[in-house]
Amino acid sequence: MTPIPSNDRGLFGLVVTQLSAPFWLWRIEVPRLIDPVVLACLSAQERVRAARFASEPLARRYAVAHGALRLLGERCFGVPAAHQRYVHNAYGKPILANLPQARCSLSYSGTNVLAAWSLDHEIGVDLECARPIADAADLADLHCTVRERQRLPRPGAAGYDRAFLALWVRKEACVKALGRGLGIAPSSFECDIDRGTTIVHIHGSLVESHVCNLKDDLLVAWARCIRVNRSDRNHRPVFACFPTDGVAEALRE
């Protein structure tokens, strides 16, 4: 298996950037043209779903996201991209049936995709392009706690939309990590509105989460479920490493 370097155009023409996280996390830029190898590794169901999108850019982004997830999974675990079989839990979260220990998460916004893989934690990721949001205050009333709304800037003030989106991506990543998506009401738990790393308590579970702002105005959040007695509760972000061939071989046995 070949590790993905920090900036790599070798994944069949895709621009892949590895981000700092305690698991494998990449940003992928959606190209104008997709290499046929990326398309070839999609399942028949994924091809059908891509064809249902109303616009070509959305179909292309979907195909890139799912193709890249498969190719990166192959690099990590040695399971051939075209032979990976995914099942979904009751809330739609994908699980790699070939290797149930592996966990993955996807998110996309604009022409960017986040893809993540982990071996030892349930994980979730979310991505949003920083932008004006006409109904941000109304969304905050629906999805944020009273304390969160109090800590946000005044609606209409400079920075309000960005602060709301930073809070939103953290909430999204956290519920994705728990595998229930919006089956958990975002207003039912409280997050830190500031960027950086924090521990979020959600319905008896602990979720470590981090929010950062990439240089081209992308807000990125990652989250992973942790246990109370684990030493990793110091939640310091670290660069993920790829397993050796021996580890990957053991996982396939």
Side-chain angles (χ1 to χ4, degrees):
M1 291 177 294
T2 305
I4 305 287
S6 295
N7 292 282
D8 181 40
R9 292 176 183 266
L11 195 68
F12 303 103
L14 298 177
V15 179
V16 179
T17 303
Q18 187 168 0
L19 304 179
S20 179
F23 48 82
W24 299 299
L25 176 63
W26 302 271
R27 170 193 172 184
I28 300 130
E29 300 173 40
V30 179
R32 291 182 180 274
L33 295 174
I34 307 176
D35 190 296
V37 174
V38 178
L39 296 174
C41 70
L42 297 176
S43 69
Q45 184 179 17
E46 287 167 337
R47 292 192 189 96
V48 168
R49 186 168 180 184
R52 289 176 180 164
F53 281 91
S55 70
E56 187 278 334
L58 293 180
R60 177 160 35 95
R61 185 178 69 181
Y62 175 90
V64 166
H66 288 263
L69 183 72
R70 287 172 171 272
L71 291 166
L72 290 164
E74 180 177 323
R75 295 266 184 121
C76 289
F77 308 120
V79 181
H83 295 157
Q84 291 169 20
R85 185 170 61 87
Y86 292 83
V87 294
H88 296 81
N89 72 6
Y91 299 90
K93 185 172 183 177
I95 300 166
L96 180 60
N98 312 68
L99 187 64
Q101 306 98 309
R103 297 290 183 267
C104 62
S105 186
L106 275 175
S107 182
Y108 14 83
S109 182
T111 58
N112 291 275
V113 171
L114 279 186
W117 281 104
S118 175
L119 273 176
D120 55 357
H121 292 273
E122 297 287 351
I123 58 172
V125 298
D126 200 58
L127 169 71
E128 287 285 352
C129 298
R131 64 193 186 280
I133 303 176
D135 55 351
D138 293 334
L139 291 171
D141 287 341
L142 285 172
H143 301 300
C144 299
T145 67
V146 171
R147 184 171 179 272
E148 287 168 345
R149 296 198 301 272
Q150 290 172 342
R151 295 197 61 202
L152 286 169
R154 178 176 53 82
Y160 181 86
D161 292 344
R162 183 184 294 271
F164 170 76
L165 281 174
L167 178 59
W168 181 254
V169 293
R170 191 188 295 277
K171 283 179 176 279
E172 282 269 17
C174 286
V175 296
K176 285 181 179 181
L178 289 170
R180 293 175 57 186
L182 294 181
I184 298 175
S187 59
S188 68
F189 63 94
E190 194 158 275
C191 290
D192 191 336
I193 72 164
D194 298 321
R195 291 189 289 274
T197 307
T198 191
I199 300 294
V200 182
H201 297 254
I202 307 177
H203 300 188
S205 298
L206 289 181
V207 182
E208 176 189 21
S209 70
H210 181 85
V211 175
C212 65
N213 188 4
L214 300 186
K215 63 182 180 180
D216 41 4
D217 250 6
L218 290 173
L219 287 162
V220 169
W222 58 254
R224 63 172 182 166
C225 297
I226 61 173
R227 293 190 289 274
V228 176
N229 62 346
R230 287 187 63 93
S231 61
D232 58 11
R233 284 186 63 198
N234 59 14
H235 56 80
R236 290 178 297 176
V238 296
F239 283 98
C241 299
F242 285 79
T244 64
D245 289 342
V247 171
E249 186 64 34
L251 289 171
R252 292 195 293 272
E253 293 178 352

